[in-house]
Amino acid sequence: MSAFAASAVVADLRDRIRQFDGRAARDRAVLPFGVPEIDERLPGGGLALASLHEVCGGGNDAVEGAAAMLFAAGIAARTKGQVLWCLTRPDLFAPALAQAGLAPGRVIYVEAGDEKSLLLCFEEGLRHGGLGAVVAEVARLSMTASRRLQLAAEAGGTLGLALRRFRHLKEAAAFDQPTAAVTRWRVSVRPSLALPVPGIGRAQWLLELTRCRAGAAAEFDVEATDGEGRIAFSSRLADRPAAALPRSRGATG
């Protein structure tokens, strides 16, 4: 049996055990996007709260990295309670988080000296159980580390977001390696829609669900996160024939 198949068996056994220890109902709680086209693709109708999820930009540049950050911030903004944000580089722009609905007063920042320390902070934050969400900016995420984080998220009932920030192409390529994350998202920037008056329209993203446990991969054209942390199905698709709408890829969960 391959290591990947073995991990799937272990995950299935863990789910069965939770049904007997009273945690199943809590672990099934989800955070919907409020976009039917996306929520219907996710088991339970939204992001599993007591779970680890991964997010990255569609390219190895600052623009798409910022889009991924805003997507993660919007998700965290729609949880209840304080949000722990772990990072190794002090370059996070707090006003941008506020524009995505994550008010400064809700965010607790932890600056770690290296990624090993950051992963420890990530794990402890997830296990604490008193936070709405924990976001950690990581370049590398091994299967072993992701399993620990998934177990910590389950123990604390907390949503975890691993925001993958890549410094070079080798790290970006590693995003395709398997981890224990329940979902994996890639965010790419698309041109804004033209406005009838001079100005800049709402940002547009290509949102790719590249992995979904017990679900299928899919792509969505969406409008970027607003001031309440919400995305919307892109209006550019309103008049598109049904055959041209984004189609799901093969199941990866």
Side-chain angles (χ1 to χ4, degrees), residues 235-246:
S235 58
R236 74 168 75 236
L237 300 180
D239 300 319
R240 186 184 298 185
L245 293 176

Side-chain angles (χ1 to χ4, degrees), residues 26-99:
R26 182 190 66 186
D27 291 352
R28 284 196 298 268
V30 299
L31 180 70
F33 282 98
V35 182
E37 294 84 357
I38 299 177
D39 290 335
E40 67 186 12
R41 298 277 187 166
L42 300 170
L47 286 179
L49 285 174
S51 299
L52 174 68
H53 306 272
E54 286 184 79
V55 180
C56 83
N60 189 32
D61 60 40
V63 174
E64 296 194 332
M69 180 270 293
L70 291 173
F71 177 65
I75 294 171
R78 292 184 291 107
T79 63
K80 296 180 180 179
Q82 297 291 105
V83 174
L84 180 67
W85 199 295
C86 308
L87 67 167
T88 57
R89 290 177 282 181
D91 58 355
L92 189 62
F93 190 52
L97 299 187
Q99 289 182 353

Side-chain angles (χ1 to χ4, degrees), residues 110-121:
V110 173
E111 184 179 343
D114 52 49
E115 287 214 347
K116 183 178 180 180
S117 300
L118 182 141
L119 289 172
L120 289 174
C121 294

Side-chain angles (χ1 to χ4, degrees), residues 139 164 166 168-177 184 186:
R164 306 290 295 274
F166 308 124
H168 45 72
L169 292 177
K170 183 179 292 186
E171 289 179 345
F175 185 70
D176 293 326
Q177 297 299 313
R184 177 179 283 173
R186 181 180 284 115

Side-chain angles (χ1 to χ4, degrees), residues 104-217:
R106 289 189 58 198
V107 185
I108 302 170
Y109 299 98
V110 173
E111 184 179 343
D114 52 49
E115 287 214 347
K116 183 178 180 180
S117 300
L118 182 141
L119 289 172
L120 289 174
C121 294
F122 194 4
E123 182 178 342
E124 288 302 311
L126 290 171
R127 200 177 298 278
H128 179 269
L131 298 167
V134 182
V135 184
E137 301 180 9
V138 296
R140 296 176 298 274
L141 188 64
S142 67
M143 176 62 81
T144 299
S146 66
R147 284 174 180 159
R148 291 182 62 91
L149 294 170
Q150 175 62 24
L151 288 171
E154 293 172 3
T158 306
L159 184 145
L161 294 167
L163 180 57
R164 306 290 295 274
R165 293 190 63 182
F166 308 124
R167 291 164 291 191
H168 45 72
L169 292 177
K170 183 179 292 186
E171 289 179 345
F175 185 70
D176 293 326
Q177 297 299 313
T179 69
V182 173
T183 65
R184 177 179 283 173
W185 303 84
R186 181 180 284 115
V187 187
S188 302
V189 176
R190 288 198 162 179
S192 299
L193 296 179
L195 295 175
V197 295
I200 300 174
R202 184 172 174 179
Q204 305 285 308
W205 293 339
L206 171 63
L207 185 60
E208 298 174 81
L209 175 59
T210 64
R211 182 184 188 278
C212 180
R213 184 186 298 176

